[in-house]
Amino acid sequence: MSSLRRRILGDNNIPSSDVSREVTPDREDDVRAKLRQVRQDLREHKRAKGTKRRNTFIFVLGGLVGVFVALFFAHQNDVINFEGLAELNLDSLIDVIPASIMKDARDIQQHERDAVNYDAFAIGLHLSNQGIKAKHPVIMIPGVISTGLESWGTDERSRQYFRKRLWGSWSMMRALVMDKTSWKQHIMLDKNTGLDPPGIKLRAAQGFDAADFFVTGYWIWSKILENLATIGYDPTNAFTAAYDWRLSYMNLETRDNYFTRLKSHIELAKQISGKKAVLVSHSMGSQVLFYFFHWVQAKGYGNGGDSWVEDHVDSWINISGCMLGSLKGMPAVVSGEMKDTAQLNAFAVYGLEKFLSREERTEIFRAMPGISSMLPKGGNAVWGNETWAPDDTEHQKVTFGPFINFKESNSSTSPRNLTVEASLEYLFSNSEEWYQKAVLDAYSHGVAHTRKEVEANERDPRKWVNPLETALPNAPNLKIYCFYGIGKPTERTYFYREEHLAAKLNVTIDTSLTIGNIDHGIVMGEGDGTVPLLSNGYMCAKGWKMKRYNPAGVKVKMYEMPHEPDRFSPRGGPNTGDHVDILGRASLNELILRVAAGHGDEIEDTILSNILEYSDRVKIYDDE
């Protein structure tokens, strides 16, 4: 323990023998004076080196924590490949991180390899032996943060990053740690236009490399690609449709012609194969695809007409789709927080705040309008009122209805309880005008209660991302498969307190509040660790059973996967139900392959949660 303390404080380079040799005067007074001088010199030396090392430690730790907190939609409780840290080229990194911590990290990583590095091709090989072969072309639409963003700017400040990923690689980590100001300038969009800032050009990486791994050792889509390959898929009949997830959906088309290219991609895949496509989306990608279904049909936009989806798409595999939003996105843009920050220990919070303050994190999140597409939809009808919520349980001590609670507020500007609807109003009334405009001009969060309203909304692009305001396409032969995890505690309600400080943000999650089912100011509910059950499952269980939201009678199947993690694996192993890690789940891979091979009809509904009961309590009624 003493050696570790010396290593951190920086006094291990001052041998005790050197000190003793300094104290050799004959007279007692001289001895005392010399001892005082030696102690003073030692204190100054320790203070100088200790301060330098502590600052470096906090700097690097804050950077590491800051980056992975920014990955809040991926719900990072995982171990990244620490071998990739070598690419950082920071001479001080090993000096400021104790060797014992590095050793523990490597041991944990080895446990993960042993636990989850099962034969990645086994699922596909097993199905191949049963006669399951590639049939439909497969196009994958990744989720938020899954796609790497690389710099194509040639401005002086961007040249050092040319074709390097400033999101989704260790280059990102290096840029953040070494040049935070420049990294922020590159990663944030222009606040007024929602497009590239002047002189900066980040674009989504393309191809399988864009989404198979986030950073070295942290897989995203790679296991799905491996299993697809075993039944006959390759780059000629499997594609990824990566996109810049920071952009609003309208700006995806304005800047990158993303939906035009996706339409052409699907048409070409069908032309070459003679088969309609299977579209596989994850998380935010499911919202992007739902928006595309409206865009591609609409006159003046995709101009495909009402029959385009019917003619070109066989199936939609909706994996962990946050169709009604991800509630943890709200505190991210309100105060730059979420469970990942609220439950950090004091030292980690100190490092994070030193590196990326709450104000900075809030600014970054708000300057990425694509993230705000996942603010909750459906209002109080879905998420509950001041006293009750559809997913409240019998023995629950705190209702989910009030979404943001100000338990001890004495201010007229901070109500005690805010429902989801009131929380959105609070957000917009306490945020910058540019942010309000960016979100309200791009998205809608309400409910259409009649078929006439739904039909009218088809002419309003702001409504196209909301399945409670617009309908599924006119494609009676389209098949939808909803696959998602359950049984992992997920953020559902928050307790805030007012900050009486001279700061831009005057509210923060009350991390001191831990009582009953309130943990550091957060109440957890049912879900996949990132997206609540109601968002994952309501449209599949009930919403798309209503005529006004599904006029063509599209068939919808559900398959819920309980979170049964391997206790030796930080990534959960082959039976995880985690929002991101589910992409490596064995049963999910099997289901995807069966649909792609044209055997989706063999899949039966598997509902293990209370989603049907919760859905019946949601205050949205069929008008047919």
Side-chain angles (χ1 to χ4, degrees):
M1 193 67 190
S2 60
S3 63
L4 178 60
R5 187 181 301 109
R6 289 197 302 272
R7 181 177 176 84
I8 294 176
L9 294 178
D11 60 349
N12 53 316
N13 291 325
I14 307 175
S16 59
S17 58
D18 292 344
V19 176
S20 64
R21 282 197 297 270
E22 288 289 321
V23 188
T24 56
D26 293 331
R27 292 190 308 167
E28 185 176 349
D29 290 342
D30 290 341
V31 170
R32 291 196 184 98
K34 200 66 175 176
L35 280 172
R36 283 196 297 270
Q37 183 62 45
V38 170
R39 291 191 187 103
Q40 180 66 26
D41 291 344
L42 181 59
R43 282 195 294 269
E44 291 179 357
H45 185 88
K46 288 172 67 178
R47 187 181 302 114
K49 291 205 71 178
T51 300
K52 179 180 178 182
R53 290 203 174 200
R54 282 195 300 272
N55 287 344
T56 305
F57 182 57
I58 291 170
F59 184 73
V60 175
L61 177 65
L64 294 172
V65 175
V67 169
F68 293 113
V69 165
L71 307 185
F72 65 99
F73 282 107
H75 199 71
Q76 303 297 321
N77 289 323
D78 318 306
V79 174
I80 305 297
N81 188 348
F82 277 76
E83 295 172 1
L85 288 169
E87 297 181 30
L88 287 169
N89 293 324
L90 296 175
D91 294 335
S92 61
L93 189 60
I94 301 303
D95 289 336
V96 298
I97 298 180
S100 60
I101 294 179
M102 295 299 292
K103 180 179 183 300
D104 289 343
R106 294 189 185 99
D107 290 344
I108 292 173
Q109 183 186 5
Q110 185 59 48
H111 282 307
E112 180 184 31
R113 289 197 191 101
D114 296 340
V116 301
N117 273 5
Y118 52 89
D119 186 354
F121 303 95
I123 303 299
L125 291 171
H126 175 69
L127 293 179
S128 180
N129 290 335
Q130 296 180 13
I132 302 294
K133 301 295 181 185
K135 180 178 180 180
H136 298 279
V138 171
I139 297 174
M140 292 160 276
I141 298 93
V144 65
I145 75 91
S146 297
T147 298
L149 303 177
E150 57 189 25
S151 177
W152 282 83
T154 56
D155 190 77
E156 183 176 356
R157 58 184 163 168
S158 298
R159 290 172 194 163
Q160 61 178 318
Y161 301 126
F162 184 73
R163 292 208 62 204
K164 293 182 179 178
R165 293 192 186 180
L166 293 182
W167 188 271
S169 73
W170 290 109
S171 296
M172 169 192 71
M173 181 77 77
R174 184 164 55 247
L176 177 56
V177 171
M178 302 299 293
D179 192 1
K180 181 184 74 170
T181 300
S182 178
W183 180 82
K184 281 181 58 183
Q185 291 173 345
H186 281 77
I187 204 69
M188 292 168 58
L189 295 170
D190 185 277
K191 294 175 180 177
N192 295 315
T193 65
L195 300 170
D196 296 317
I200 290 175
K201 189 177 183 180
L202 254 62
R203 294 295 181 268
Q206 298 299 315
F208 296 136
D209 288 344
D212 56 351
F213 287 87
F214 180 71
V215 293
T216 304
Y218 186 83
W219 48 262
I220 304 288
W221 287 81
S222 64
K223 294 185 181 296
I224 291 175
L225 294 174
E226 290 164 352
N227 281 299
L228 284 171
T230 60
I231 66 169
Y233 284 96
D234 56 45
T236 65
N237 57 358
F239 317 91
T240 55
Y243 57 93
D244 187 340
W245 42 267
R246 302 172 303 156
L247 292 167
S248 70
Y249 296 0
M250 287 185 283
N251 279 338
L252 277 175
E253 179 63 19
T254 299
R255 195 196 73 177
D256 297 346
N257 299 118
Y258 174 77
F259 296 114
T260 296
R261 292 186 292 110
L262 179 57
K263 178 188 177 188
S264 298
H265 219 38
I266 296 171
E267 290 174 339
L268 182 61
K270 182 190 175 185
Q271 180 181 340
I272 292 174
S273 68
K275 303 291 183 182
K276 293 193 286 186
V278 168
L279 307 182
V280 186
S281 63
H282 174 248
S283 189
M284 177 182 173
S286 295
Q287 286 192 336
V288 171
L289 184 55
F290 187 75
Y291 182 97
F292 169 75
F293 284 154
H294 296 87
W295 178 92
V296 74
Q297 295 180 146
K299 186 176 182 180
Y301 294 90
N303 295 315
D306 290 345
S307 65
W308 190 92
V309 175
E310 172 73 9
D311 295 339
H312 293 86
V313 181
D314 176 82
S315 303
W316 170 22
I317 300 176
N318 171 20
I319 304 171
S320 305
C322 49
M323 302 311 301
L324 300 183
S326 179
L327 296 179
K328 68 190 299 181
M330 181 75 81
V333 291
V334 167
S335 60
E337 301 172 287
M338 67 290 297
K339 180 179 73 70
D340 307 83
T341 60
Q343 295 183 356
L344 289 174
N345 61 51
F347 184 72
V349 171
Y350 177 72
L352 175 60
E353 290 296 323
K354 281 288 186 181
F355 196 80
L356 279 175
S357 67
R358 288 196 301 120
E359 287 84 356
E360 287 181 300
R361 299 196 304 267
T362 304
E363 182 186 23
I364 291 172
F365 291 143
R366 291 180 183 180
M368 298 176 174
I371 286 179
S372 291
S373 71
M374 290 178 285
L375 290 174
K377 300 169 181 63
N380 297 357
V382 171
W383 302 106
N385 55 34
E386 292 84 355
T387 60
W388 173 89
D391 50 340
D392 283 345
T393 58
E394 182 179 356
H395 302 292
Q396 190 170 308
K397 295 181 179 179
V398 177
T399 177
F400 293 140
F403 178 58
I404 292 181
N405 302 269
F406 290 90
K407 187 177 180 182
E408 298 177 355
S409 172
N410 294 317
S411 170
S412 60
T413 61
S414 299
R416 289 178 179 269
N417 296 315
L418 297 173
T419 64
V420 162
E421 284 184 14
S423 297
L424 283 169
E425 295 172 2
Y426 178 82
L427 167 65
F428 296 134
S429 64
N430 289 276
S431 58
E432 306 87 347
E433 185 177 349
W434 61 264
Y435 176 70
Q436 298 175 40
K437 180 175 174 58
V439 176
L440 296 177
D441 285 355
Y443 314 117
S444 180
H445 307 91
V447 177
H449 292 282
T450 68
R451 189 168 182 177
K452 186 176 181 180
E453 287 181 69
V454 170
E455 292 172 352
N457 289 340
E458 296 297 335
R459 298 186 291 273
D460 185 352
R462 294 178 305 134
K463 312 286 187 178
W464 292 349
V465 74
N466 187 349
L468 291 173
E469 294 187 292
T470 53
L472 288 171
N474 181 29
N477 291 307
L478 173 68
K479 298 175 284 292
I480 297 178
Y481 300 89
C482 299
F483 302 148
Y484 57 87
I486 58 171
K488 186 169 185 180
T490 305
E491 294 168 60
R492 184 61 177 82
T493 296
Y494 302 86
F495 282 80
Y496 269 73
R497 69 172 184 267
E498 290 184 290
E499 292 275 89
H500 301 290
L501 302 172
K504 293 181 181 178
L505 298 176
N506 61 357
V507 296
T508 184
I509 293 176
D510 188 357
T511 57
S512 66
L513 184 59
T514 297
I515 183 173
N517 60 335
I518 307 172
D519 183 7
H520 292 83
I522 301 173
V523 182
M524 307 295 280
E526 173 65 286
D528 64 8
T530 296
V531 178
L533 176 61
L534 279 173
S535 182
N536 269 328
Y538 174 77
M539 294 308 301
C540 308
K542 186 173 182 181
W544 286 329
K545 303 295 172 62
M546 298 184 191
K547 190 71 173 178
R548 70 171 175 271
Y549 297 132
N550 186 2
V554 174
K555 294 181 177 63
V556 181
K557 287 189 176 183
M558 300 173 60
Y559 199 103
E560 295 183 332
M561 304 178 194
H563 183 55
E564 299 171 339
D566 187 317
R567 65 190 183 94
F568 294 110
S569 171
R571 295 289 307 265
N575 293 312
T576 177
D578 177 82
H579 182 70
V580 173
D581 297 339
I582 197 172
L583 293 173
R585 184 181 177 112
S587 57
L588 175 69
N589 275 254
E590 178 177 345
L591 293 171
I592 293 172
L593 267 56
R594 288 189 181 278
V595 175
H599 292 264
D601 291 342
E602 300 171 2
I603 299 172
E604 297 183 359
D605 284 326
T606 302
I607 301 174
L608 305 174
S609 72
N610 293 325
I611 186 59
L612 297 178
E613 179 184 348
Y614 296 162
S615 296
D616 286 339
R617 297 177 188 170
V618 169
K619 296 184 181 301
I620 299 175
Y621 307 106
D622 198 342
D623 62 332
E624 296 297 321

